[in-house]
Amino acid sequence: MRVNRILLSVPLVVVALVVQVSVLARLHLPGAVPDLLLLTVLGLAMVYGHVGGALIGFGAGLLADLAPPADHAAGRYALVLCVIGYLAGLVKPETGQIKSATGPMAVVVAAAVGSTLLYAGVGALVGDTAARHVGLTGLLFSAALYDLLLAPFVVPGVMFLARRADNDPLAETNSAAKGSDISSGWLSSGTGLKIGGQRGGLKMRAAKSRATRAGRIKGVKRL
């Protein structure tokens, strides 16, 4: 990943995790907890692509696994967000611009449901059956609802910041300058104007030097 992407992703992930643990987790809402960390990973993945989304998801999930009051095995949520970030990055448009909000909202719902199912599935493999006691159906519905309501306030802003940080004006200026130099060199070599100008300049210099020598010789003869 680029340095500017890391410098943006790390603060966003840390802030999202702090807000989720200290604020959202204490609301005591029925069912699931609004997953601000998941929405942040989705916003970054839909700009940076599947590779960046997987890396950011793994790092964000690992922080969530280690942050108190985590009561599950380390690496469990890291695996979930890594997979979700990779899949979300696959829907990144080629132009980088999303024209409609329908696509991102569908990604949010699918990610909320998929992350809940994957988290419960990994928990079942390691012997954690808490999802059965709470009710998986209620968790799926509440997770999709909470994340869908929170997404318009998080995902567009994260995507805007990601695009803003991903654009390097200095690099664009340098690339444009190189492109203009290459195009000017291509045109001059293709039309022969530069070569012709060089030949004309050499001919003018040779004529001037011959005239100067002839004047000197005539002056010597007169003396």
Side-chain angles (χ1 to χ4, degrees):
M1 291 181 63
R2 300 176 183 176
V3 177
N4 53 351
R5 293 184 176 184
I6 298 176
L7 293 178
L8 175 67
S9 301
V10 172
L12 287 179
V13 168
V14 172
V15 171
L17 180 60
V18 171
V19 173
Q20 181 170 334
V21 172
S22 60
V23 178
L24 298 179
R26 297 184 179 182
L27 295 178
H28 300 291
L29 296 174
V33 177
D35 201 338
L36 183 61
L37 192 62
L38 173 66
L39 298 178
T40 303
V41 171
L42 291 179
L44 295 172
M46 285 188 286
V47 176
Y48 295 155
H50 59 282
V51 176
L55 294 176
I56 294 172
F58 179 80
L62 189 60
L63 286 178
D65 289 332
L66 299 177
D71 56 352
H72 55 269
R76 181 176 172 183
Y77 201 49
L79 175 61
V80 172
L81 286 188
C82 180
V83 174
I84 296 298
Y86 179 85
L87 295 178
L90 294 177
V91 303
K92 172 189 174 184
E94 296 180 357
T95 59
Q97 299 291 334
I98 298 178
K99 299 181 180 180
S100 176
T102 305
M105 293 299 102
V107 172
V108 169
V109 174
V113 175
S115 62
T116 304
L117 289 175
L118 187 58
Y119 186 83
V122 175
L125 293 177
V126 297
D128 185 3
T129 60
R132 297 179 182 178
H133 302 287
V134 177
L136 185 59
T137 304
L139 285 177
L140 292 175
F141 177 78
S142 58
L145 179 62
Y146 296 154
D147 291 347
L148 189 60
L149 293 176
L150 189 60
F153 304 98
V154 178
V155 177
V158 171
M159 295 179 67
F160 173 78
L161 292 176
R163 291 196 190 99
R164 192 71 179 270
D166 208 27
N167 294 330
D168 191 352
L170 184 59
E172 292 179 358
T173 303
N174 294 336
S175 62
K178 292 179 181 179
S180 61
D181 293 341
I182 294 173
S183 61
S184 61
W186 177 268
L187 290 175
S188 62
S189 61
T191 57
L193 294 177
K194 188 175 181 179
I195 298 175
Q198 291 178 350
R199 291 178 179 176
L202 292 176
K203 290 181 180 179
M204 290 295 294
R205 291 178 183 177
K208 289 181 180 180
S209 62
R210 286 197 295 268
T212 303
R213 290 177 183 177
R216 290 178 180 177
I217 293 173
K218 290 180 179 180
V220 172
K221 287 182 179 181
R222 289 177 183 177
L223 293 175

